[in-house]
Amino acid sequence: MPPEMDEIVRLSKQRGFIFPSAEIYGGFRSTYDYGPLGALMLRNVKNEWWRSMVQMRHDVVGLDAAILSSPRVWEASGHLANFTDPLVDCRNCHERWRADHLEPSPEDGRLHCPNCDSTDLTDARAFNLMFQTHAGPVQDEGSAAYLRPETAQGHFVNFLNVLQTSRKRPPFGIAQIGKSFRNEITPGNFVFRTREFEQMELEYFVPPAEGAKWFDYWCRERLEWYVGLGIPRDMLRLRPHGQEELSHYSAGTSDVEFLFPWGWGELEGIANRTDFDLKAHAAASGVKLEYFDQATNERYVPYVIEPAAGATRTMMAFLLAAYDEDRIGGEKRTVLRLHPRIAPYQVAVLPLSKKDTLTPVAEEVLGRLQPIAMCDYDETQSIGRRYRRQDEIGTPLAVTVDFDTLEDRAVTIRDRDTTEQVRVPIDDLVAQVKSRLGF
Ligand code: ATP
């Protein structure tokens, strides 16, 4: 079973994964800052996505589009008119809620306020989630701009640029990672739902007849990505959307869901968006967004399969799935069993004592390991306490430099999960560490 949310919030704060933003001013509306360990871990989550989506394939290219974009983009995409959540106010306690998140009460089927239980709620009104700002010094209608609520439109408006410069042909994809902003009515559950977050989105363009096939392919592929990075299979599921839940343009949507402490929640949505987006932007811009297949002399608007994941939400799932408590020598320990590619540090270099005699060789060991792994270097407190600290932040390997090292040029590698220790010559260390980490 996953740990309580409180455990993860506590560990995040105490060890430097995630801090409430502007904490010295009392925080700011469910925004968060990623501390030294969180910045490393979030980067690892994004790097692993990029590695599997771009680096390990020949049919996907990358993109890094602007966060501020022409309002015409959001008009054409339908976000200005439709990117809304149903907002209700409680007339009794004045809390605001998303109507689609409220449970009807079993007695009379009416929605009731989760805060004060009142059923005196306003009718739902559509609340647009996009953050509006102004580009340039004059704040008028003409200077209105929006922070992107998803990274995805950047892929569509650059479709021709990418097609022409990358020499790809369908099936091919465009991958992008970056910040998105939504003025969520009820952010919460730590970083599960925040107003500023990071997404990892692929738009995969295919011949229309192959849409269903590629949709199935990406559902399988994406589920396996999480499993491959250590999330137990029984904490994951693929949930197909029912007919009533489907967006009007979608020919199929499935969510990859994770078993959060409060129940199943979405990590990623995979949708067959058909030719909706390219056609909408072609109609609004007057630019044809098509592919001409020279082999068959056919011109067509590709279908797009979109696996859209959240990097920050996924990082939280990795933390929850990795959290464990066990006993070592009768003593309770907290351990994050993170996959080596996700863990903030892969190796901790720990000189047994702060004595000057050990420093040069410890620094030599560190210098050998830094090119292959992110290393922590810690020389204070007892070695036992330092091991515990590394266990608690998920470091898979600790390398201890002791006084014998000065004689035998060997160090001890300790494994986080088994706590087993082996002595290896410094000259074999890089090869040993690589093989243990699976690098
Ligand atoms: P919901 O219905 O929960 O509001 P959604 O279905 O609109 O979410 P998508 O638009 O499919 O979400 O976004 C893709 C992914 O981006 C989500 O699966 C999630 O991981 C992430 N995401 C979306 N909104 C947020 C948010 N407010 N905070 C953190 N991550 C988010």
Side-chain angles (χ1 to χ4, degrees):
M1 270 309 284
E4 294 298 318
M5 234 10 255
D6 290 356
E7 296 292 340
I8 295 300
V9 176
R10 177 195 59 77
L11 182 89
S12 293
K13 169 80 176 28
Q14 228 169 46
R15 294 303 190 191
F17 284 90
I18 302 173
F19 307 126
S21 191
E23 199 182 9
I24 59 168
Y25 293 103
F28 183 66
R29 295 170 183 260
S30 295
T31 52
Y32 291 92
D33 295 339
Y34 289 71
L37 298 186
L40 290 173
M41 185 171 169
L42 184 59
R43 185 172 288 255
N44 288 346
V45 171
K46 293 186 284 184
N47 283 349
E48 280 314 295
W49 187 89
W50 192 266
R51 215 167 79 88
S52 86
M53 298 304 241
V54 182
Q55 185 179 335
M56 301 299 285
R57 308 182 63 98
H58 59 75
D59 57 349
V60 176
V61 292
L63 178 73
D64 199 333
I67 287 175
L68 280 177
S69 194
S70 163
R72 293 186 62 193
V73 170
W74 306 110
E75 199 181 320
S77 68
H79 282 79
L80 269 175
N82 303 322
F83 195 59
T84 58
D85 277 339
L87 170 72
V88 292
D89 290 278
C90 172
R91 290 200 183 91
N92 184 43
C93 73
H94 306 295
E95 283 285 337
R96 296 196 148 143
W97 306 103
R98 243 176 91 168
D100 59 328
H101 280 180
L102 299 184
E103 296 279 341
S105 80
E107 299 96 59
D108 55 8
R110 286 163 68 188
L111 298 181
H112 61 105
C113 172
N115 187 42
C116 70
D117 229 28
S118 165
T119 52
D120 190 9
L121 305 177
T122 60
D123 287 340
R125 59 186 190 281
F127 172 76
N128 196 298
L129 298 183
M130 284 200 295
F131 277 100
Q132 190 182 358
T133 184
H134 293 271
V138 183
Q139 299 210 354
D140 60 14
E141 268 302 293
S143 68
Y146 295 90
L147 300 186
R148 64 182 180 199
E150 59 179 32
T151 69
Q153 300 305 319
H155 308 64
F156 302 128
V157 298
N158 281 292
F159 175 74
L160 279 188
N161 285 336
V162 174
L163 196 64
Q164 283 158 5
T165 52
S166 70
R167 300 162 54 81
K168 297 287 175 202
R169 56 195 304 269
F172 84 101
I174 305 176
Q176 179 168 214
I177 299 177
K179 291 248 173 160
S180 295
F181 302 84
R182 296 182 189 178
N183 200 1
E184 298 278 3
I185 298 168
T186 44
N189 282 331
F190 201 31
V191 298
F192 179 82
R193 189 180 302 285
T194 49
R195 296 197 170 101
E196 174 178 347
F197 55 99
E198 265 190 287
Q199 291 187 305
M200 313 183 284
E201 297 191 289
L202 172 72
E203 306 299 329
Y204 196 74
F205 301 95
V206 304
E210 295 178 19
K213 176 182 101 180
W214 286 107
F215 173 70
D216 289 344
Y217 167 87
W218 280 111
C219 286
R220 279 197 305 275
E221 203 54 24
R222 292 305 306 149
L223 187 73
E224 289 310 313
W225 183 79
Y226 297 93
V227 175
L229 289 171
I231 299 192
R233 206 175 277 278
D234 61 3
M235 293 181 86
L236 291 165
R237 73 176 187 192
L238 203 58
R239 188 183 66 82
H241 282 205
Q243 210 53 40
E244 72 299 339
E245 221 184 327
L246 281 185
S247 331
H248 61 94
Y249 49 77
S250 173
T253 300
S254 281
D255 290 344
V256 176
E257 294 190 335
F258 175 78
L259 189 56
F260 286 96
W262 61 88
W264 292 98
E266 175 183 333
L267 287 182
E268 167 161 0
I270 301 146
N272 178 349
R273 300 179 60 96
T274 68
D275 53 12
F276 173 80
D277 306 277
L278 289 179
K279 278 196 171 155
H281 285 298
S285 66
V287 178
K288 280 200 177 117
L289 301 177
E290 299 173 339
Y291 174 71
F292 177 64
D293 189 338
Q294 282 175 335
T296 60
N297 240 355
E298 243 190 304
R299 193 175 283 286
Y300 65 87
V301 180
Y303 268 30
V304 63
I305 312 301
E306 176 193 75
T312 38
R313 192 180 282 186
T314 294
M315 173 175 152
M316 183 171 112
F318 278 121
L319 284 173
L320 284 161
Y323 188 94
D324 195 11
E325 286 171 3
D326 62 5
R327 287 195 168 273
I328 300 294
E331 219 184 290
K332 190 181 131 189
R333 81 166 172 163
T334 300
V335 53
L336 283 186
R337 300 192 191 279
L338 289 168
H339 189 282
R341 289 199 175 272
I342 297 295
Y345 295 115
Q346 284 79 53
V347 187
V349 175
L350 310 175
L352 193 64
S353 117
K354 258 196 300 202
K355 290 227 170 66
D356 289 353
T357 37
L358 286 188
T359 307
V361 66
E363 284 182 351
E364 181 200 333
V365 166
L366 182 67
R368 286 187 185 220
L369 292 173
Q370 277 172 330
I372 61 153
M374 187 71 215
C375 298
D376 194 10
Y377 184 82
D378 186 2
E379 52 182 12
T380 52
Q381 293 189 323
S382 78
I383 193 70
R385 289 183 72 155
R386 280 185 274 164
Y387 284 153
R388 293 291 174 276
R389 177 173 183 277
Q390 296 299 334
D391 291 343
E392 201 177 352
I393 65 174
T395 312
L397 300 176
V399 172
T400 310
V401 178
D402 57 28
F403 291 100
D404 289 342
T405 308
L406 301 173
E407 309 297 324
D408 64 2
R409 300 265 310 153
V411 290
T412 303
I413 301 181
R414 173 190 180 269
D415 182 284
R416 171 196 71 198
D417 295 329
T418 62
T419 73
E420 252 169 35
Q421 304 190 9
V422 289
R423 192 116 185 126
V424 301
I426 290 178
D427 285 338
D428 292 347
L429 185 61
V430 166
Q432 278 278 345
V433 164
K434 271 188 175 173
S435 109
R436 280 160 191 274
L437 293 173
F439 282 15

